[in-house]
Amino acid sequence: MDSQTLKDFQDRLSSALVETTRVVGQICQEDISFQRSVDPDVSAALDSHGARLLQLAQTLLERAVDGSDVDAPRLREQEDVDNSWSSVVDVVDSLLERADTCLDVHTGRVKRSKPEQAEETKAPLPAKGRLDKSLRFSNIVKPQLQFADAGRYDGTGAFKPLLTSKPNAMLPFQHSIVSYTDHVGHTQYRNPYETEIITSKYPPAVLASADPIPYQPFDKTTATYVDTPEGLQAMLTELQEAKEIAIDLEHHELRSYVGLVCLMQISTRGKDWIVDTLKPWRAELRLLNQVFTNPEILKVFHGAFMDVSWLQRDFGLYVVSMFDTYHAARALGFPQASLASLLSRLVGFDADKRYQLADWRIRPLPAEMLKYARSDTHFLLNIYDHLRNELVRRSGEADAEAGPLAEVLKNSRQTALLCYQGLAYDEDSGMGAAGWFGLLKKSAVYLSREQFAVFKAVHHWRDSVGRAEDEGVNFIMQKHVLFAVARALPMDTSSLLGICQPLSPQVRKRSEELLGIIRQAKATGATGPDISQVLQSSSTRSAPERDTVSLERCDGGSANRAAHDPTPKPQPHTAESPMRSGVSQFWGHTFASNSRVGPAAGVGPGGDRQQIRLALPLPPLTAEIFEDGGASATEPRQGLAGEPGSRAEHAFTKDRSRTEDADHNTVFTIKQLGGGRKRKVADSAQLPGLDKAEATHSRSTEVADGNTNNNVEGSDAEEGERAPTQKEKKQQQQRRERRRQQRQLAKEGRTFAITNGPEGSEGGPKADDADEAGAAPAFDYAAAAAALQAESAEPDQSQSRPRPVRGFNPYGKAADAPHGARRVRKDRPGKTMTFTD
């Protein structure tokens, strides 16, 4: 379908949808039920059109779910639309997601050079279920026993690089093997290619965008299996002609103490190799350093964190000019960065990740495992092309060395600089890659002294047996079994073998030896250290757990320093905070400076009280609010030298900018809480800004009411207040006369009215004076009318009111009909109770 035909189809489809929507809206505005009951033809037509629409909707839903994992709902009746609406929404969502993906491909955000390749390499989804046990746990002879290189690292002591020569060297070989002492006192070696990794530049093709190179059809090509030295030489010759290669490894560690690489996959743009690394001549794989350390050849890995260490440990191989697609996927913000997700997203290939846990020591390898191993590198260079183009686009064509691409290259360099550090073990402190401290710190368990001693002893026994027999420690005794033995403290063989499930041959053969170790550790552990003391007192950084390979980035440094300083200084020590702290960290470090050292800090006799410093500053306050009586604002109160307020930051000073007669800032009290309803003379005199006349008026009012005493008067006389004026005396006399009249009326049982005239008028007392007069006259119950026989204040007009004339109600008799049965109440879930007489 060309563009013009597609445009015409879209126009016709849009017009039909709009017209259909308009007609449906008009029909919905009508009373459909009424129309059905009136005209049978309309009812039949509606049923016919409804069935046809349901059929069309069912067909569209079935077409929409083709190629997806969403199931289409079944729409047989109109009610099915409402009942299955959530399923309809799922189908629409899947359509929108697929449309979004197609738009990304169309706009170039995700490019595919040949879409038909995805159809060719589309593999069926892996079958559900676990991998066959025979492929996971194979009881075969250990292949490491046939290795010709007797110098294979066995986990004892420091790991020394296996290099005997240094191809593509910038720094001579004799200056590259440099040792140093790490933070726990163990001897380690630097990365021999540290200088080359840091100073070498990536090929120019990495910094430029280009069309992705198509990969070879997966089902129509095969990989070359390399299991001889001659095949290795032939592969090396072809690899030296390539510009980019993809590398991946298959590793096994269950039946080996340090682990071993079982398979190496290498791919170029046109060919795949699968190298058998379990052959006796595996030491010759060191020749691949001619390619792996060549900065002109780009090495593409995915998640090379462990691959780098395994290459160093088993073959003495190092990588220069690495590109890690894992870091690229993270930099681009992909929701998942695994290789399986990249294969599905960019290539359309679904890998069976069940074989990731397979036992790769099996020989000959099944066809399914070979296919899985080959798929890890066959598409990796094409994935690299897509990721590189997107990184260059986001970084900008003009400055490709900045932005996300530069960050990915930096992280890839950091991964290539990692060094294999060996499996050190310290029985006493538990430090080292194989020590017990890391395992104990990650486990939220508490052990008694005896249990802790048994845990350390059994852990050391397991490690010693694994080193002696080149057996995986998790195969000898799994972690949960180790803790179970420490908790149970078995004292006989049957109890020990019952706890150690699954039971390994090493535990069965050495059960008596292990029991002796447990008994001895339990006897000595009663007076040994406590687990909490060991965890708290440990001030050194614990090494990774035993089954996690210890990897550290070598100190970068320059080439000159590595050449002229063959004995560098040890790395700086990093202290580790204890697991259990005596200070609460709930509020973070807000009160860290005020945390108490002990329970009796600052509370002993003669000791300084612990001063609390506020995290927030106090607002500016003046001393008038806090001072008592005539105390000065600048003098501290007696007996409070140790209070927080006595320090300099809490010494409040009087605001000099305020004046005594500032009307706009007068301090007044609306009503005091508690005590009398009126202010005392002493309180009113202390308020700044209060007029003396008002204070005198308050005092004179209290004297007139008889509420003052000699002490108040004496205090007034001492303060030297002026005598009341003639006007104030006249007002006092008038108030006393009114109160005398009110008291006289109260004695006679008469009522009086209080009028609120203007101040100074003769019309009657004010409302304020009424409050001061005291209680109202008592209620006379004898003279009051009876409440039960009280007469209405309004005249009875019931006789004079005409009766309303009611009209005829034709529905009146209908109300006399018997009511229908009540609706039965449904039982609700909950508690019920039966009552019996």
Side-chain angles (χ1 to χ4, degrees):
M1 181 181 296
D2 55 7
S3 59
Q4 184 62 32
T5 306
L6 178 62
K7 185 64 170 58
D8 296 340
F9 174 75
Q10 290 177 345
D11 294 341
R12 289 187 285 106
L13 179 62
S14 176
S15 176
L17 289 176
V18 170
E19 184 63 24
T20 303
T21 305
R22 183 182 297 110
V23 172
V24 170
Q26 294 175 356
I27 294 176
C28 291
Q29 294 178 358
E30 302 293 336
D31 191 350
I32 304 299
S33 301
F34 177 77
Q35 297 293 341
R36 282 179 177 272
S37 61
V38 171
D39 193 347
D41 296 336
V42 173
S43 178
L46 289 175
D47 293 339
S48 176
H49 289 293
R52 183 171 179 272
L53 289 176
L54 283 176
Q55 184 180 3
L56 290 175
Q58 182 67 40
T59 303
L60 291 176
L61 291 174
E62 292 176 354
R63 296 289 180 87
V65 298
D66 288 343
S68 65
D69 55 352
V70 181
D71 296 331
R74 302 295 299 176
L75 305 180
R76 297 182 179 86
E77 299 178 357
Q78 181 180 355
E79 290 77 8
D80 294 340
V81 178
D82 297 331
N83 298 334
S84 305
W85 183 248
S86 59
S87 301
V88 176
V89 172
D90 293 340
V91 174
V92 176
D93 289 343
S94 66
L95 281 177
L96 294 177
E97 291 177 359
R98 293 163 64 182
D100 187 34
T101 303
C102 294
L103 288 176
D104 289 342
V105 175
H106 179 71
T107 56
R109 295 187 62 183
V110 178
K111 294 183 178 180
R112 296 182 183 178
S113 57
K114 290 184 178 181
E116 61 274 7
Q117 286 187 351
E119 298 298 331
E120 296 176 1
T121 60
K122 185 70 175 181
L125 293 175
K128 296 182 180 180
R130 302 187 64 179
L131 192 64
D132 187 78
K133 189 175 181 180
S134 61
L135 298 179
R136 296 184 60 191
F137 309 105
S138 299
N139 190 13
I140 61 178
V141 178
K142 293 182 179 179
Q144 58 264 37
L145 300 177
Q146 308 297 326
F147 291 164
D149 54 331
R152 179 175 178 266
Y153 179 67
D154 59 356
T156 304
F159 173 78
K160 186 177 181 179
L162 304 179
L163 286 178
T164 57
S165 62
K166 189 178 179 183
N168 304 307
M170 294 182 181
L171 187 69
F173 172 72
Q174 58 271 19
H175 297 298
S176 301
I177 309 299
V178 180
S179 63
Y180 67 96
T181 304
D182 62 8
H183 62 283
V184 292
H186 296 157
T187 301
Q188 305 292 351
Y189 286 86
R190 296 184 181 278
N191 190 321
Y193 279 90
E194 176 182 345
T195 303
E196 289 76 11
I197 295 173
I198 295 176
T199 59
S200 63
K201 294 184 178 181
Y202 280 89
V206 180
L207 308 178
S209 179
D211 293 335
I213 300 177
Y215 49 80
Q216 299 296 324
F218 187 76
D219 295 333
K220 298 180 181 179
T221 57
T222 59
T224 301
Y225 193 78
V226 179
D227 57 352
T228 61
E230 293 76 16
L232 175 63
Q233 288 290 345
M235 180 187 70
L236 180 61
T237 303
E238 295 189 47
L239 292 179
Q240 290 175 339
E241 302 296 330
K243 296 298 181 181
E244 308 98 356
I245 61 174
I247 306 171
D248 191 36
L249 304 176
E250 302 299 337
H251 188 264
H252 178 83
E253 62 181 10
L254 181 63
R255 301 301 306 272
S256 174
Y257 181 78
V258 297
L260 68 158
V261 177
C262 302
L263 214 64
M264 181 187 299
Q265 307 97 276
I266 303 177
S267 296
T268 60
R269 295 289 184 178
K271 194 171 183 180
D272 302 324
W273 289 271
I274 296 180
V275 184
D276 188 352
T277 60
L278 297 181
K279 294 297 181 179
W281 51 266
R282 67 197 310 259
E284 299 185 20
L285 290 172
R286 211 165 300 160
L287 297 173
L288 293 176
N289 271 327
Q290 301 177 21
V291 176
F292 284 19
T293 61
N294 187 351
E296 300 298 330
I297 302 176
L298 183 68
K299 274 69 67 175
V300 181
F301 285 78
H302 182 85
F305 178 79
M306 300 304 298
D307 294 342
V308 168
S309 67
W310 296 335
L311 289 173
Q312 297 175 14
R313 182 199 62 200
D314 285 8
F315 314 115
L317 295 175
Y318 296 85
V319 182
V320 181
S321 295
M322 174 194 293
F323 186 96
D324 197 331
T325 55
Y326 170 81
H327 296 306
R330 286 300 184 195
L332 294 175
F334 287 179
Q336 295 180 351
S338 64
L339 180 59
S341 64
L342 294 181
L343 287 171
S344 177
R345 180 188 182 99
L346 302 178
V347 180
F349 183 87
D350 295 307
D352 192 349
K353 283 300 177 181
R354 295 182 303 166
Y355 295 104
Q356 192 172 12
L357 302 177
D359 188 351
W360 290 95
R361 303 176 303 159
I362 300 175
R363 296 294 183 272
L365 284 170
E368 296 81 4
M369 296 178 64
L370 286 174
K371 181 179 180 180
Y372 166 79
R374 179 186 171 216
S375 65
D376 284 348
T377 57
H378 181 81
F379 307 99
L380 193 56
L381 291 178
N382 184 264
I383 292 175
Y384 153 74
D385 291 339
H386 290 291
L387 298 178
R388 176 206 58 203
N389 291 345
E390 184 64 19
L391 290 170
V392 171
R393 186 187 68 81
R394 296 191 184 184
S395 301
E397 296 286 352
D399 189 12
E401 296 185 359
L405 178 58
E407 186 68 19
V408 171
L409 298 181
K410 175 184 175 181
N411 293 333
S412 299
R413 274 197 175 101
Q414 296 291 337
T415 303
L417 283 171
L418 294 174
C419 304
Y420 181 76
Q421 299 294 329
L423 299 174
Y425 187 93
D426 192 331
E427 181 182 0
D428 296 331
S429 64
M431 297 300 171
W436 50 262
F437 184 83
L439 175 60
L440 190 63
K441 186 176 180 180
K442 294 179 181 179
S443 303
V445 297
Y446 180 80
L447 304 175
S448 64
R449 295 178 184 270
E450 294 83 356
Q451 292 173 341
F452 181 43
V454 171
F455 170 80
K456 295 190 297 182
V458 175
H459 188 281
H460 182 258
W461 173 85
R462 184 184 70 161
D463 186 83
S464 301
V465 173
R467 292 175 186 266
E469 300 186 7
D470 194 11
E471 194 68 77
V473 293
N474 286 324
F475 177 79
I476 298 173
M477 182 180 292
Q478 298 183 10
K479 300 175 186 177
H480 72 276
V481 177
L482 176 61
F483 282 106
V485 172
R487 291 193 189 96
L489 302 177
M491 292 291 105
D492 55 83
T493 305
S494 59
S495 300
L496 176 63
L497 298 181
I499 296 173
C500 298
Q501 298 296 331
L503 183 63
S504 64
Q506 288 76 15
V507 175
R508 183 186 297 107
K509 291 186 301 182
R510 299 171 180 253
S511 58
E512 294 299 331
E513 176 188 349
L514 182 56
L515 277 175
I517 293 175
I518 294 175
R519 293 190 186 101
Q520 182 179 0
K522 181 180 179 181
T524 58
T527 58
D530 185 71
I531 183 174
S532 59
Q533 298 175 356
V534 174
L535 294 177
Q536 290 180 0
S537 61
S538 177
S539 60
T540 57
R541 182 178 63 85
S542 63
E545 197 175 343
R546 155 64 188 88
D547 57 344
T548 303
V549 179
S550 174
L551 294 175
E552 294 184 1
R553 180 192 178 278
C554 297
D555 189 5
S558 62
N560 294 331
R561 188 184 69 175
H564 301 292
D565 189 9
T567 58
K569 298 180 180 180
Q571 296 179 351
H573 169 70
T574 303
E576 180 191 16
S577 59
M579 288 186 63
R580 294 176 176 87
S581 175
V583 181
S584 173
Q585 298 295 326
F586 182 79
W587 300 107
H589 300 284
T590 304
F591 303 102
S593 60
N594 296 320
S595 58
R596 297 182 182 270
V597 179
V603 297
D608 295 336
R609 178 178 294 184
Q610 187 73 17
Q611 296 180 352
I612 301 175
R613 296 182 180 272
L614 298 179
L616 300 177
L618 288 174
L621 301 176
T622 57
E624 288 84 348
I625 302 177
F626 300 98
E627 64 181 354
D628 295 335
S632 175
T634 59
E635 297 179 0
R637 291 177 291 177
Q638 298 295 331
L640 298 177
E643 294 293 337
S646 64
R647 297 202 306 271
E649 60 265 36
H650 294 287
F652 301 101
T653 57
K654 187 175 182 179
D655 191 357
R656 302 297 181 184
S657 62
R658 299 187 179 183
T659 59
E660 295 291 342
D661 56 349
D663 296 335
H664 65 280
N665 199 20
T666 302
V667 179
F668 61 92
T669 302
I670 298 177
K671 183 178 181 181
Q672 296 181 351
L673 297 178
R677 301 183 64 182
K678 295 186 296 182
R679 293 193 302 271
K680 305 301 181 183
V681 177
D683 296 339
S684 61
Q686 291 178 3
L687 296 177
L690 183 63
D691 189 73
K692 292 183 178 181
E694 297 178 4
T696 306
H697 174 71
S698 300
R699 174 185 175 278
S700 61
T701 304
E702 294 176 2
V703 173
D705 294 341
N707 294 331
T708 60
N709 50 26
N710 295 333
N711 295 334
V712 177
E713 293 176 358
S715 62
D716 292 345
E718 292 176 0
E719 293 176 5
E721 294 184 356
R722 64 178 180 83
T725 61
Q726 293 296 333
K727 183 178 179 180
E728 292 173 350
K729 291 181 179 180
K730 184 179 180 180
Q731 293 177 354
Q732 295 174 7
Q733 184 65 23
Q734 292 175 357
R735 284 193 291 270
R736 284 196 294 270
E737 182 63 25
R738 285 194 295 269
R739 282 192 288 271
R740 188 188 62 78
Q741 295 177 4
Q742 293 170 2
R743 287 193 293 270
Q744 183 65 24
L745 294 174
K747 291 180 180 180
E748 297 177 0
R750 298 168 59 187
T751 60
F752 59 93
I754 300 177
T755 59
N756 189 10
E759 183 180 358
S761 65
E762 303 296 338
K766 297 185 296 181
D768 295 340
D769 298 331
D771 294 339
E772 299 172 357
F779 182 78
D780 189 358
Y781 290 93
L788 297 178
Q789 299 177 0
E791 297 181 358
S792 175
E794 298 180 358
D796 188 6
Q797 300 178 359
S798 60
Q799 302 297 332
S800 59
R801 291 180 181 176
R803 284 190 175 184
V805 179
R806 296 184 178 181
F808 174 71
N809 184 9
Y811 302 101
K813 295 298 182 180
D816 298 336
H819 296 283
R822 292 184 178 181
R823 184 177 60 181
V824 178
R825 183 176 180 180
K826 296 182 180 180
D827 293 335
R828 296 182 179 179
K831 296 182 179 180
T832 60
M833 184 177 295
T834 304
F835 297 90
T836 59
D837 295 337

